[in-house]
Amino acid sequence: MLNKTYQDSPTQFINVLLIPGFSNLTFASLIEPMRMANQISGQALYHWKLVSLDGEAVLSSSGLTISIDENFYDVQSCSNLCIIASWEVEQHFSKKLFGRLKKHSQSGCHIIALESASKFLAEAKLLNGHRATIHWELLDQFEHQYSRVNVVPDRFVKDGQFSTASGALSTMDLVLSIIQKNNGLALALDVAKRFLYSHIQEANEPQTALSFLNFEMRDSKLAAAVLLMEQNLEEPIPIDVIALRSHTTVRNLQRLFKASLECSPRDYYQSLRLALGKRLLQRDYLSIQEIAYMCGFNSGSAFTRAYRIRYGVTPSKTKKVE
């Protein structure tokens, strides 16, 4: 695989469907590694075309307008389709879109969903029985909404003809893995090197790995405790159990949190759960009671009290502002 030659590789054609509000960083993480692979090899290994739902230019989350090559519904066939979406994708749901996704799926198209675009495939029932991931802020909600999808917290997932990636950097990991498969490890490593991307992450590494590594540099027990908290927001684990699983004592854990984070383990854990709640309040279809349960509170009133103390406003007021 390391010595695979570029001549062995036919051009891969990719239709990139941009959903309004998409992330520029995720877009760049998809396109730039392919562009660099072409540049290094001196060949057109990858060719992409930008499409939108109406054939018009698309506005990104940061306000940049991207020109489009073609209307998505005019694409009759494709070997690779990549969908990039960030927030509030539900407003773009339609029977027409789901029907077209099913058509491409039935023709054997490799469909890639980045960030929250996994929702399109799940809503079209294409991910039923498949492993898939989504951005970590949406994991719990995604798993709750689509029980027939095997939702995992991995950075990216390849399952049959469907690939899903959780965010911008995991998109680069996914694209590098595709380059490795199609064109060899040497080219994938060379592409990563050009972007000073020194640590290519594996697909099954958790999305929380970044915070884990940050804390790992300070103390392995602190890192283990934080990771356990991040992975158990809906059903909080008692602090003494966290200490036990982190191979330390409650007293030492309290000392570590105080020294590094200037708070107690309990306060830090609650701040994670409340931060999740604040993000979930942006979802109009979730009630405050539902959000409370998803954040590990046993009632809406308990969540409201803690939220008011933390942010100075009630959840209902935040929901109206959002």
Side-chain angles (χ1 to χ4, degrees):
M1 193 69 172
L2 182 63
N3 297 316
K4 184 173 182 176
T5 62
Y6 307 137
Q7 287 74 19
D8 295 333
S9 309
T11 300
Q12 296 290 319
F13 294 91
I14 305 100
N15 286 281
V16 180
L17 174 57
L18 298 178
I19 303 299
F22 70 91
S23 163
N24 287 308
L25 186 56
T26 300
F27 179 49
S29 295
L30 169 71
I31 299 297
E32 288 301 306
M34 296 191 293
R35 178 193 64 79
M36 185 59 70
N38 290 348
Q39 179 177 315
I40 293 171
S41 67
Q43 298 181 45
L45 299 176
Y46 297 90
H47 177 80
W48 53 90
K49 179 168 60 177
L50 305 183
V51 301
S52 68
L53 295 175
D54 58 5
E56 301 296 325
V58 183
L59 197 66
S60 73
S61 59
S62 56
L64 296 180
T65 301
I66 303 297
S67 299
I68 293 300
D69 299 311
E70 189 176 353
N71 189 309
F72 171 65
Y73 295 108
D74 292 335
V75 177
Q76 296 304 310
S77 63
C78 64
S79 53
N80 297 282
L81 171 65
C82 182
I83 312 170
I84 308 179
S86 290
W87 302 109
E88 299 180 354
V89 300
E90 291 82 4
Q91 63 184 295
H92 302 288
F93 283 0
S94 71
K95 291 182 179 179
K96 182 180 180 181
L97 174 57
F98 299 146
R100 187 53 61 96
L101 291 175
K102 289 177 181 176
K103 176 184 175 183
H104 288 310
S105 170
Q106 290 165 358
S107 69
C109 177
H110 175 210
I111 304 180
I112 302 170
L114 306 179
E115 287 198 60
S116 61
S118 301
K119 285 190 173 185
F120 289 113
L121 303 188
E123 191 69 22
K125 297 182 173 30
L126 293 175
L127 293 180
N128 287 357
H130 289 273
R131 294 173 66 252
T133 191
I134 198 168
H135 192 275
W136 62 269
E137 292 181 301
L138 301 172
L139 271 171
D140 288 341
Q141 172 209 338
F142 189 62
E143 186 173 21
H144 178 74
Q145 276 187 287
Y146 303 105
S147 58
R148 296 184 64 185
V149 180
N150 183 7
V151 181
V152 294
D154 298 358
R155 292 178 64 80
F156 67 90
V157 174
K158 295 178 179 179
D159 191 348
Q161 70 185 104
F162 304 108
S163 296
T164 52
S166 56
L169 293 183
S170 56
T171 293
M172 180 170 285
D173 294 325
L174 171 59
V175 176
L176 288 171
S177 74
I178 291 172
I179 293 173
Q180 177 181 338
K181 178 183 177 182
N182 293 337
N183 317 112
L185 177 60
L187 181 58
L189 292 175
D190 203 355
V191 169
K193 182 179 179 182
R194 301 299 176 96
F195 292 111
L196 303 180
Y197 197 60
S198 58
H199 180 55
I200 302 176
Q201 307 258 14
E202 296 297 326
N204 59 0
E205 290 191 42
Q207 295 180 42
T208 52
L210 182 59
S211 60
F212 179 84
L213 290 172
N214 287 340
F215 288 116
E216 178 73 18
M217 291 187 292
R218 302 183 186 183
D219 187 281
S220 60
K221 296 179 176 60
L222 176 64
V226 168
L227 188 59
L228 280 169
M229 291 177 180
E230 290 180 340
Q231 293 176 339
N232 295 275
L233 297 178
E234 186 170 0
E235 298 182 6
I237 303 174
I239 299 301
D240 59 339
V241 175
I242 290 176
L244 182 64
R245 293 187 185 178
S246 303
H247 305 291
T248 188
T249 63
V250 172
R251 184 174 181 179
N252 189 50
L253 194 64
Q254 290 172 336
R255 182 186 62 79
L256 291 171
F257 270 82
K258 184 66 176 177
S260 295
L261 300 169
E262 299 182 348
C263 66
S264 69
R266 193 176 305 281
D267 287 344
Y268 183 80
Y269 202 175
Q270 180 161 284
S271 72
L272 290 178
R273 293 158 54 208
L274 290 171
L276 172 62
K278 193 171 191 292
R279 292 191 296 271
L280 291 175
L281 286 168
Q282 299 174 23
R283 315 287 181 258
D284 292 335
Y285 49 85
L286 290 175
S287 69
I288 291 176
Q289 187 77 19
E290 289 174 317
I291 292 172
Y293 291 143
M294 293 172 73
C295 299
F297 291 88
N298 56 21
S299 68
S301 59
F303 171 65
T304 297
R305 284 194 300 273
Y307 190 93
R308 186 190 293 115
I309 293 172
R310 175 72 176 175
Y311 296 110
V313 295
T314 63
S316 57
K317 187 171 184 179
T318 299
K319 202 171 181 64
K320 289 178 182 177
V321 172
E322 296 292 347

